[in-house]
Amino acid sequence: MGVFKCKETGTWYVMTRYRDWKGERKQKCKRGFATKRAAQDWEQKFHMQNAADMDMTFEAFYEIYTKDMKARLKENSWITKQNIVETKILPYFGQRKISEITTKDVIAWQNEQLAYRDEKHKPYSQTYLKTLHNQLSAIFNHAVRFYDLRANPASKERREMLFWTKEEYQKFAAEMMDKPVSYYAFEMLYWCGIREGELLALTPADFDFQNSTVRINKSYQRLHGEDVITSPKTKKSNRTIKMPEFLCEEMQDYMKQLYRIGKNDRLFEVTKSYLHHEMDRGAKAAGVKRIRIHDLRHSHISLLIEMGYSAVAIADRVGHESINITYNYAHLFPSTQSDMADKLNQFRKDGTDNVIKEQGRA
């Protein structure tokens, strides 16, 4: 077994043995290499990938990541990820050993992205830069969780989480009242904490005004120039949300304004770019900081935390795992540790007082 030259074609081929995931011995043949060195490089890479050896290159590990993750992600999510990795990440990290990439390397890569300017001398937006970083970090996280990479060198930065207070949102909402479709769309986003794709997939059939609920069971995407309705982001995302009374009344008013809408027609036939433009317009007019559409979801969650609801209850409402709520929003529970300490202090004090009383009786 090894590298051999084909006399008929003049090219090189590899014959090698390996053990599959069941531990069974298998044989692999790969043909068509122009040089002996190319065949040897392929054989080395194959065995590293099969053994999940973290001395493999980043590019080699990305092939493993693709096999593991492509089928698990929605088509539009994978297309976005693939484009970013192949154009912005692999050119920089592709030939480096994944185990040798450090935080300094990640910072140097970030600096290159920060220095970029297009033909109009405009840099990448902060949102896009964060997206690039998140995609890089996701690959390292996969290597850490499932292939024993020691640490994620891109995990040193936490994504900035922005949100509006109730007062800030109400100022913004007042500026949206001149366009009903915008006003009611943002009302649903803020007061229900739903995702943008979930909002744009809503139909009249999803609402049960008798029970004050809205059903979330699908998501809207724009793929290859066409409107596509898909299943929600995760299994947990399939849920029924109880709406406040005022929101039920608002949505009934909105539906009455829509001319001959069918039960299964989309309520908000606008684009994501339309909502982003309206966010720009409303934030500027209201004099509040500009946040992302997804930050309205953060705003809803932070409001519920402020109202005293548990991570489990909030997770059920927004379609998250409770552990994600606890981890991502821990900084919004400022009184938790203090409350615990105060209650433990009181618990011990009460116990000590009882012991003293008992001793006094004796």
Side-chain angles (χ1 to χ4, degrees), residues 45-70:
K45 175 182 171 183
F46 173 77
H47 284 294
M48 281 188 167
Q49 288 180 322
N50 191 57
D53 186 334
M54 288 295 98
D55 279 339
M56 76 176 79
T57 64
F58 186 95
E59 184 176 44
F61 182 76
Y62 176 62
E63 291 180 20
I64 293 176
Y65 180 80
T66 298
K67 291 176 185 176
D68 289 349
M69 297 301 297
K70 186 175 182 180

Side-chain angles (χ1 to χ4, degrees), residues 139-254:
I139 295 172
F140 282 123
N141 276 336
H142 193 73
V144 170
R145 289 172 184 168
F146 302 108
Y147 294 95
D148 298 323
L149 182 66
R150 186 177 66 257
N152 177 356
S155 68
K156 304 299 181 182
E157 293 185 14
R158 287 285 307 271
R159 182 181 178 189
E160 183 183 10
M161 188 180 293
L162 300 174
F163 58 90
W164 277 337
T165 63
K166 181 182 66 176
E167 290 72 26
E168 286 175 315
Y169 172 72
Q170 288 174 329
K171 288 180 182 178
F172 168 84
E175 299 297 334
M176 290 291 100
M177 287 184 174
D178 60 333
K179 292 185 179 180
V181 64
S182 300
Y183 174 75
Y184 294 114
F186 284 114
E187 284 284 274
M188 286 298 299
L189 288 168
Y190 182 79
W191 295 109
C192 290
I194 59 178
R195 299 178 177 92
E196 191 174 12
E198 294 170 347
L199 169 84
L200 296 178
L202 288 176
T203 67
D206 293 321
F207 290 82
D208 179 351
F209 292 117
Q210 186 172 349
N211 292 303
S212 302
T213 62
V214 58
R215 177 185 60 198
I216 305 297
N217 63 357
K218 53 192 173 296
S219 183
Y220 166 88
Q221 310 291 340
R222 183 78 177 169
L223 293 178
H224 309 300
E226 296 183 358
D227 294 337
V228 178
I229 301 298
T230 68
S231 57
K233 187 175 181 180
T234 64
K235 287 183 179 180
K236 191 84 172 174
S237 299
N238 270 295
R239 62 201 189 277
T240 298
I241 299 173
K242 191 83 171 178
M243 296 189 298
E245 184 178 343
F246 73 84
L247 188 58
C248 288
E249 294 173 357
E250 288 183 343
M251 290 307 299
Q252 288 179 86
D253 289 341
Y254 174 58

Side-chain angles (χ1 to χ4, degrees), residues 16 37 50 137 142-143 168 183 230 272-273 292 301 357:
T16 189
R37 178 60 183 273
N50 191 57
S137 187
H142 193 73
E168 286 175 315
Y183 174 75
T230 68
K272 291 184 178 182
S273 61
R292 296 161 296 193
I301 292 171
K357 288 178 183 178

Side-chain angles (χ1 to χ4, degrees), residues 312-330:
V312 173
I314 295 171
D316 285 342
R317 182 173 177 83
V318 300
H320 255 316
E321 295 293 340
S322 58
I323 191 170
N324 292 336
I325 295 291
T326 303
Y327 176 75
N328 291 320
Y329 299 89

